[in-house]
Amino acid sequence: MNNKKAFITGITGQDGSYLAELLLEKNYEVHAILRRVSLFTTKRINHLFEHPNLHTYHGDLTDSSNLNRSLSKIEPKEIYNLSAQSHVGVSFEVPEYTAEVDAVGALRLLDAIRDTKVNTRFYQASTPELFGGIPGTKPQSEQTPFHPKSPYRAAKLYAYWITVNYRESYELYACNGILFNHESPRQGNTFVTKKITKAVANIYKGKQKVLKIGNLDAKRDWGRAKAKDFVYTQWLMLQQDKLKDYVIATGETHTVREFIELAFEEVGTKIQWKGTGIAEKGMDLSTGKILVEVNKKIFPSSRSKIAFRRCASKAEKELGWKRKISFRELI
């Protein structure tokens, strides 16, 4: 009997798929719930379905009875809650559903652990969006105050604090991981990094003429998702004797503009910028052809130009984690 059992919500997402690969490689028995939908959403894990140690079931974070039955039956040693309605814009359209899944969903899982008395460790996927948009000079770390600015962020804030509350009130082994932007080929097409790289590839192949983007000066801390990089820290946190909350980041910030320039360099194109604000355009230095334009619909709502500095020194010191590749290698 395999005592290394893990239960994953959100396995069909970028992080969930990489985490499943990591755990299967470590000889875990991986159990996961899949939300029942009319369209196939399992593309990221289709290659894993034949693995003898992967078991999937229909389930949802809005169904307490389903979660309780699952935990009672499986008795996992580790639980990873990666499931969420994670689109900030959509959260304004479906705030109640976002709260049900992202906030109360975490509560239901924690309560299921308490009710079933299963001996397990719980990881809650948190988000740097908790910090909001308040400028500051100090690096953002585990001590930085939160200031969420959307229904999604507010829901995630509840999930963060209810995890801390259950850890302190019921002595559950539970922790939060605040992972800053981490990317991969499995990232969703609506994310800016995937939007840029996909557009650059299409432009190079002649399938697309122009990349339309929002705030070119927005700055982010971008790392790599992959199972041996950012996603690895999710597993690593649950291997500690005392579970704590950690910020995971590279400590570097780069603009969307830099990302675009390096992406085009990968296909042999040098970008020259002309104009400012909404009128700014990126052109091929050799031909003068316009390849990048600012999307007027996105630009006004793009997030602040302020560069937030992230600090992952606690994770580096206590977990022994270090990022594996540079910003250029990521692109």
Side-chain angles (χ1 to χ4, degrees), residues 82-193:
L82 310 183
S83 183
Q85 190 302 100
S86 58
H87 195 287
V88 174
V90 171
S91 73
F92 284 96
E93 299 176 21
V94 289
E96 186 176 335
Y97 175 75
T98 301
E100 277 290 334
V101 175
D102 297 9
V104 186
L107 171 63
R108 291 188 183 101
L109 264 175
L110 288 162
D111 235 19
I113 294 171
R114 193 166 69 93
D115 288 345
T116 60
K117 295 181 173 58
V118 62
N119 182 22
T120 191
R121 296 185 171 206
F122 176 80
Y123 172 85
Q124 170 62 29
S126 199
T127 171
E129 299 286 352
L130 296 180
F131 296 121
I134 298 178
T137 56
K138 293 183 178 180
Q140 291 171 320
S141 68
E142 291 80 5
Q143 284 73 48
T144 304
F146 296 133
H147 191 84
K149 289 188 172 183
S150 72
Y152 162 69
R153 294 157 182 161
K156 278 293 194 175
L157 182 63
Y158 178 87
Y160 177 95
W161 282 119
I162 201 65
T163 299
V164 173
N165 184 271
Y166 269 57
R167 181 174 69 217
E168 295 177 348
S169 299
Y170 303 114
E171 298 184 345
L172 295 186
Y173 281 90
C175 68
N176 291 283
I178 302 178
L179 276 59
F180 275 80
N181 300 62
H182 46 291
E183 317 298 324
S184 78
R186 298 180 190 175
Q187 184 62 284
N189 290 331
T190 59
F191 288 80
V192 66
T193 51

Side-chain angles (χ1 to χ4, degrees), residues 34-70:
L34 303 175
R35 190 164 60 91
R36 182 71 176 90
V37 291
S38 58
L39 298 175
F40 291 108
T41 59
T42 60
K43 181 180 178 180
R44 296 183 181 97
I45 59 169
N46 283 344
H47 64 293
L48 298 177
F49 277 127
E50 298 303 318
H51 199 292
N53 282 344
L54 176 65
H55 309 276
T56 61
Y57 320 87
H58 289 305
D60 197 297
L61 286 180
T62 63
D63 190 335
S64 297
S65 60
N66 175 272
L67 295 175
N68 279 50
R69 285 196 304 272
S70 296

Side-chain angles (χ1 to χ4, degrees), residues 18-19 21-22 25 224-233:
Y18 282 125
L19 178 63
E21 288 179 351
L22 174 68
E25 186 180 303
R224 182 178 66 165
K226 291 293 182 79
K228 296 300 176 69
D229 212 322
F230 268 55
V231 166
Y232 176 73
T233 65

